[in-house]
């Protein structure tokens, strides 16, 4: 089954404690991205990647890191989480070109609370 | 720079009526795609419909159609004969640079919360 899997789905942590949210897709997609969703602000892009070893900042990259060492994986790293990073996070993937290249396949979301 | 604007934070519609959700966009790229996604209260993101900038016809997918007005840079979603299950958040999204070797990032509007009244 084609899917994007992100873990953990729910996490409560404390300020400053490093955490990683994993994301993996099994569709051989070139494009992967992380979004955060906050009430009234929609989905804002944190980082995206066009392919292996190619990553770029989105609109709200501060406080986050990513890496793309393999095509299927795109982890999101919060080196020193702060309460303003409490949010719902989505990982998504897409073909680079062809088909409907903006059709994103989303993970189920990770709800993160930073105390 | 690419930008998506959804000006309706919330809408209430009577069941079985048609509803139009507004979306305007800004881009200088002649090659782009526009998308609508639905997010029910369960939280998952569901792809609804796609329109390419060079498509001659407005896209349709079942009860969903996209009213694409290129000169006005609008891509409104029309839902015909609304159902209670249509109650959800709806997001408009855009991607520039289609057809080139490296298409750009995909950005979203702030969303419209649609509530269907029985």
């Amino acid at each position: 089954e084609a899917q994007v899997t992100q873990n953990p789905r729910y996490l409560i942590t404390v300020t400053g404690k490093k955490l990683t949210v994993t994301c993996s897709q099994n569709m051989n997609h070139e494009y992967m991205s992380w979004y955060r969703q906050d009430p009234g602000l929609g989905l804002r892009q944190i980082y995206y990647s066009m392919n292996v070893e190619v990553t770029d900042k989105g609109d709200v990259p501060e406080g986050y890191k990513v890496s793309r060492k393999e095509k299927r994986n795109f982890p999101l790293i919060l080196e020193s989480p702060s309460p303003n990073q409490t949010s719902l996070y989505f990982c998504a993937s897409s073909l680079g070109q062809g088909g409907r290249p903006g059709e994103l396949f989303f993970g189920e979301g990770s709800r993160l609370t930073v105390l | 720079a690419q930008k998506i604007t959804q000006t309706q934070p919330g809408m209430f519609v009577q069941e079985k009526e048609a509803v139009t959700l507004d979306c305007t966009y800004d881009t200088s790229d002649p090659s782009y795609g526009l998308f609508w996604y639905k997010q029910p209260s369960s939280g998952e993101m569901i792809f609804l419909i796609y329109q390419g900038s060079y498509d001659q016809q407005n896209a349709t997918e079942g009860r969903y159609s996209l009213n694409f007005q290129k000169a006005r840079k609008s891509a409104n979603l029309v839902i015909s004969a609304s159902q209670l299950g249509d109650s959800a958040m709806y997001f408009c999204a855009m991607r520039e640079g289609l057809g080139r070797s490296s298409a750009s990032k995909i950005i979203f509007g702030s969303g419209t919360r649609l509530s269907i009244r029985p």
Side-chain angles (χ1 to χ4, degrees):
Chain A
E1 181 190 352
Q3 59 185 2
V4 177
T5 304
Q6 51 182 111
N7 283 294
R9 295 283 317 280
Y10 302 91
L11 180 63
I12 300 174
T13 189
V14 296
T15 300
K17 186 175 181 183
K18 180 180 178 180
L19 68 92
T20 299
V21 187
T22 62
C23 175
S24 181
Q25 51 94 3
N26 62 1
M27 295 167 279
N28 202 35
H29 284 166
E30 293 90 358
Y31 180 93
M32 296 187 74
S33 181
W34 277 101
Y35 297 87
R36 61 176 289 175
Q37 182 178 9
D38 302 289
L41 298 176
L43 276 79
R44 294 181 293 167
Q45 193 169 46
I46 304 170
Y47 272 93
Y48 63 103
S49 169
M50 298 292 194
N51 215 323
V52 176
E53 302 293 1
V54 180
T55 62
D56 231 325
K57 294 178 182 178
D59 296 318
V60 288
E62 295 79 19
Y64 305 95
K65 284 175 59 177
V66 293
S67 67
R68 187 95 182 269
K69 294 185 170 57
E70 304 165 284
K71 199 171 186 179
R72 62 183 293 127
N73 295 324
F74 192 45
L76 179 70
I77 303 158
L78 286 73
E79 293 272 4
S80 182
S82 61
N84 65 13
Q85 292 178 297
T86 293
S87 187
L88 176 61
Y89 291 86
F90 284 101
C91 179
S93 72
S94 170
L95 287 169
Q97 295 292 345
R100 298 182 292 206
E103 180 179 359
L104 285 166
F105 292 77
F106 282 86
E108 293 179 294
S110 295
R111 186 164 294 281
L112 170 65
T113 302
V114 183
L115 301 175
Chain B
Q2 53 180 344
K3 185 179 179 182
I4 292 278
T5 303
Q6 294 179 254
T7 57
Q8 306 154 309
M11 289 184 69
F12 287 89
V13 171
Q14 204 68 32
E15 189 180 10
K16 297 181 184 174
E17 288 183 352
V19 56
T20 297
L21 305 181
D22 294 341
C23 173
T24 59
Y25 61 92
D26 190 20
T27 180
S28 56
D29 195 318
S31 179
Y32 54 90
L34 296 154
F35 308 81
W36 279 90
Y37 288 83
K38 173 184 178 181
Q39 186 182 40
S41 57
S42 52
E44 74 266 31
M45 296 290 289
I46 302 167
F47 168 80
L48 293 179
I49 197 166
Y50 162 79
Q51 178 85 43
S53 60
Y54 293 119
D55 292 344
Q56 296 297 315
Q57 310 257 13
N58 284 348
T60 60
E61 294 276 355
R63 292 187 300 113
Y64 304 108
S65 60
L66 200 152
N67 184 1
F68 181 46
Q69 298 188 40
K70 198 170 182 177
R72 298 177 65 180
K73 292 189 175 177
S74 75
N76 298 340
L77 178 71
V78 180
I79 306 174
S80 63
S82 57
Q83 302 170 356
L84 295 178
D86 294 332
S87 294
M89 280 289 285
Y90 289 81
F91 293 100
C92 183
M94 177 173 70
R95 188 175 201 180
E96 295 176 326
L98 301 187
R100 296 204 291 268
S101 59
S102 58
S104 78
K105 60 184 181 180
I106 300 168
I107 64 165
F108 286 77
S110 56
T112 296
R113 182 170 297 282
L114 176 64
S115 300
I116 307 298
R117 292 196 187 104

